[in-house]
Structure formats: C-alpha cells, structure tokens
Amino acid sequence: MQTTGPAVRKVPRPRADALRNRERIVAAAREMFVEFGPDVPLDDVARRAGVGNATVYRNFPDRDALVREVVCSVMDRTVRAAEQALSETGDAFEALERFAHTAADERISALCPMVSSTFDQHHPDLEDARRRAEGLVAQLMDRAKSAGQLREDVEYGDLMVGVAQLSRPPAGTGCTSADRFVHRHLQLFLDGMRAPAPTVLPGAAVTVEDLRC
C-alpha cells in the first residue's frame, strides 16, 4: 500500500498591490526622512504614500524596521549604480563620475546619520549592502587609477565623504533650494580627483576603516 507524506503548504506570494503599497511607503519615507529627519510621524508617511496607517504598520511593525528598509534600499540602488558603472567599457573616470552623481541623487548624507541614531548599524542587511558597495566602488577607483585618470593619493573614503558632504544642503537652506547646486559642486570636486594631480594633498587618504570609526 502506497503512503503519501504530509502535504507541503505553499507560502502565498505577496499580491501585486501589496508590493506596490510597500514600495510607495518606502519611497515616501525616504523623501520625508531626507526633508525632516527620521522622527517624522509615520502617519505623515502614510499620507504621502497614499495608504492607510494600518498598511504602514502591517508592513513595518516599528520605526526601526522602516528606517532600515529605507537605508538598505538606498544602499541597494547605490550597489546597482556601481555595478552598472563597472559594466561599462568606455572611459574609466567617466564611469566613476556617473556613479558619484547617481549616489549623490540618493541623498546618502541625509540617510547615513540614521544608521547610528535609529537602529543597529551592524544589522546583517546593512552590513551586506555596505560590503558590496565598498567592494564595487573600490574596483571602480582601481580601474580609473590603472588607466592613469584618478590620482593615486585618494581612496574610497575620500570619494564617499565628498559625495555625502556635497549632497547635503548648506546650513540655513532648504533641501529643495540647494538641490540645483549639488551636481555642479560635485563635478568640481571630481575634477580635483583627476590625474595628474596638480598639488599634494595634506594628511592621509580616507579609508573604509576610517569611515567606520
């Protein structure tokens, strides 16, 4: 007599509308965190996303979960931008520039402080995204150095500190009014990273380890 094992229960896939709601919540939260900081009321996030309060809490049981999702989504897009830049076979420095401008658009300067102030900066999801980003950007920079286009005395931290600082609104200005200057000033900074270097930089290059201190 043939016996059958226990039936395997299939885990239902999230509905398309549920996934869209989650994406809208994350997008709205990112915008509001950049504008107002991580303490913005979640009810306001729900209104901007066009969903009910219950939908926010069903997807994200607390503020930490939402902030972590926002930061990791930004890191994931940054990783994809670096992967795209590495896949290009043209000018190595131009690929690095395109990555830097894309990273600036993510407004990482406004989101990075949330990592230390709102949730565990060593959370596995964040650590994984950070390691991937660091490795890919290091490859981009190494390729530009090998092509003789990027000065030898700069490292990963120099680039990312510049991107973060230049995508942060100046003191006393609103986020929207400062946006139009970001890419202009970032390009000035990137031009200063080109080889051959006209001057010797003071101090030591900023490494990945320096950014973690």
Side-chain angles (χ1 to χ4, degrees), residues 13-148:
R13 298 179 61 183
R15 296 183 313 177
D17 58 341
L19 290 174
R20 285 193 295 270
N21 283 341
R22 186 179 179 91
E23 291 170 356
R24 282 200 292 266
I25 293 167
V26 172
R30 175 187 171 276
E31 292 174 0
M32 299 196 77
F33 290 162
V34 167
E35 293 176 29
F36 306 110
D39 296 327
V40 63
L42 297 189
D43 290 353
D44 291 352
V45 173
R47 278 192 289 273
R48 180 168 295 194
V51 301
N53 297 358
T55 302
V56 173
Y57 289 104
R58 186 163 55 247
N59 282 274
F60 304 101
D62 54 39
R63 183 180 300 275
D64 282 4
L66 178 55
V67 172
R68 183 168 58 249
E69 182 74 9
V70 169
V71 173
C72 287
S73 70
V74 167
M75 292 294 293
D76 286 342
R77 286 194 297 275
T78 301
V79 165
R80 289 197 293 272
E83 289 173 337
Q84 175 62 36
L86 275 174
S87 71
E88 298 172 5
T89 57
D91 186 282
F93 195 89
E94 288 181 3
L96 181 64
E97 287 178 322
R98 280 189 286 276
F99 162 76
H101 283 285
T102 301
D105 282 336
E106 292 295 340
R107 303 302 293 275
I108 59 174
S109 62
L111 298 176
C112 284
M114 300 182 196
V115 175
S116 57
S117 64
T118 310
F119 67 90
D120 180 13
Q121 62 181 306
H122 301 297
H123 189 280
D125 291 347
L126 180 62
E127 286 283 4
D128 178 62
R130 181 188 287 129
R131 280 193 297 269
R132 286 185 292 142
E134 290 169 355
L136 290 165
V137 176
Q139 290 181 57
L140 275 172
M141 296 182 73
D142 287 345
R143 190 171 69 174
K145 286 181 180 180
S146 297

